[in-house]
Amino acid sequence: MGGQAYQLDDYTSDCLARLAFEVLANRWDSVVVFTIAAYGPTRPAVLLTRIGGISPKVLNDALRRLEYNGLVDRRPYQEAPPRVDYSLTEAGNALLEPMRAMGAWATRYADAVLDAQERFEARETSTRSGSRSRSARPRR
Amino acid sequence: MGGQAYQLDDYTSDCLARLAFEVLANRWDSVVVFTIAAYGPTRPAVLLTRIGGISPKVLNDALRRLEYNGLVDRRPYQEAPPRVDYSLTEAGNALLEPMRAMGAWATRYADAVLDAQERFEARETSTRSGSRSRSARPRR
DNA sequence: CAGTATCCATGAGGATACTG
DNA sequence: CAGTATCCTCATGGATACTG
């Protein structure tokens, strides 16, 4: 069933936001979008070096998802050796502002998040107030 | 390794945004945050009915992650029967605006996303321009 | 009621090797 | 160079049943 249908009315109307989070939910998606935004139409090999720490296969997976969701356009040149580049669609471009808003939040609250994580870990070892036993440790 | 450390400088500075996406990356996280935001401190049983389509275990997982990431506060009452409620932290509240921006994007571009997905599926069956063979079908 | 314990299916991330 | 093919690991989502 390649790509489950989005249930746009599953939740409160506000939660249409979930669609936005889904199209960027995966590990590298937002990074790829930001990188293409920063440099314009870009070839995979260039993305590979500019991003760093991502394998060709995983980058390709990400590009395929982004293309599937209509955030990037794939443009193949009929040449040899093979040449392709990826650019942002209108939808992809429009997503940049909200993404930057998320980035601003992260800049402001990154420490709070890290602190909360440490406090959570700390609480976890010691006895827990309320209830809850010892094995409720989310990985992220 | 409960919760891998966030590498805040892994990417370009903009990509601090990834932290924001990570704390909401999972299936129900954004829905839970919006629901708590809409109704104030809320008990799990109430979230269960208000959200709908989520199991107690999965809701609990989500709440645990959100707590871990410092987006919600857990407040246990020492009573019988057990009673707990969850509220948004300052960081959680601050995230609402960016989330609404994402929601606005989704409202505007949901159709574009769906169209792109259909076109992708269509292209997939027919022969593909450029290169790429037949088994590159991302699920989302 | 809040939360845990299992068990299962699936899909993403990752490493490697290989085509056209 | 772009992309696919394998193969592995592990986190999530989900269903069910069970405690305090």
Side-chain angles (χ1 to χ4, degrees):
Chain A
M1 60 221 71
Q4 73 215 48
Y6 288 102
Q7 303 300 331
L8 298 181
D9 53 335
D10 254 2
Y11 327 105
T12 66
S13 59
D14 255 340
C15 289
L16 236 183
R18 273 212 61 239
L19 176 60
F21 289 110
E22 272 185 27
V23 299
L24 290 175
N26 298 313
R27 180 88 175 79
W28 298 99
D29 294 356
S30 58
V31 184
V32 172
V33 168
F34 271 131
T35 306
I36 297 179
Y39 299 95
T42 314
R43 304 173 61 183
V46 177
L47 287 173
L48 235 32
T49 65
R50 283 225 241 260
I51 292 176
I54 184 175
S55 75
K57 181 259 199 180
V58 172
L59 171 64
N60 196 52
D61 290 350
L63 287 170
R64 209 58 58 238
R65 270 193 304 270
L66 294 172
E67 186 191 4
Y68 174 72
N69 288 318
L71 300 192
V72 307
D73 265 336
R74 174 177 182 272
R75 178 170 46 181
Y77 298 76
Q78 291 299 26
E79 303 176 358
R83 174 192 176 87
V84 186
D85 64 28
Y86 293 86
S87 52
L88 295 186
T89 61
E90 186 198 331
N93 264 297
L95 197 46
L96 290 175
E97 273 311 303
M99 288 174 72
R100 293 199 186 97
M102 299 285 288
W105 177 90
T107 303
R108 167 76 179 77
Y109 288 98
D111 288 345
V113 172
L114 271 353
D115 284 355
Q117 294 177 350
E118 282 167 25
R119 277 182 280 115
F120 188 100
E121 302 280 1
R123 244 174 302 162
E124 188 171 65
T125 43
S126 59
T127 312
R128 200 71 199 314
S129 56
S131 54
R132 188 182 325 173
S133 57
R134 44 255 138 251
S135 59
R137 180 179 342 184
R139 315 93 187 114
R140 32 164 73 190
Chain B
M1 54 227 59
Q4 72 216 48
Y6 288 102
Q7 303 300 331
L8 299 181
D9 52 334
D10 254 1
Y11 325 105
T12 66
S13 59
D14 255 342
C15 288
L16 237 182
R18 273 212 62 240
L19 176 61
F21 289 111
E22 272 187 26
V23 299
L24 291 175
N26 298 315
R27 181 90 174 77
W28 298 99
D29 294 356
S30 58
V31 184
V32 172
V33 168
F34 271 132
T35 306
I36 297 179
Y39 298 96
T42 313
R43 304 173 61 182
V46 177
L47 287 173
L48 235 31
T49 65
R50 283 225 242 259
I51 293 176
I54 184 175
S55 76
K57 180 260 199 178
V58 172
L59 172 63
N60 197 51
D61 291 349
L63 288 170
R64 209 60 58 236
R65 270 192 304 269
L66 294 172
E67 186 191 3
Y68 174 72
N69 288 318
L71 300 191
V72 307
D73 265 336
R74 175 178 181 271
R75 178 170 46 179
Y77 297 76
Q78 290 300 23
E79 302 175 359
R83 175 192 177 88
V84 187
D85 65 28
Y86 293 86
S87 53
L88 294 186
T89 62
E90 187 199 330
N93 264 296
L95 196 46
L96 290 174
E97 274 310 303
M99 288 174 72
R100 292 200 187 96
M102 299 285 287
W105 176 90
T107 303
R108 167 76 180 75
Y109 289 97
D111 288 346
V113 171
L114 270 354
D115 285 355
Q117 295 177 349
E118 282 167 26
R119 274 181 283 115
F120 188 101
E121 303 280 0
R123 244 173 302 161
E124 187 169 70
T125 43
S126 61
T127 313
R128 200 69 199 313
S129 55
S131 56
R132 189 182 325 174
S133 57
R134 44 253 136 250
S135 59
R137 179 180 342 185
R139 315 94 186 112
R140 35 164 70 194

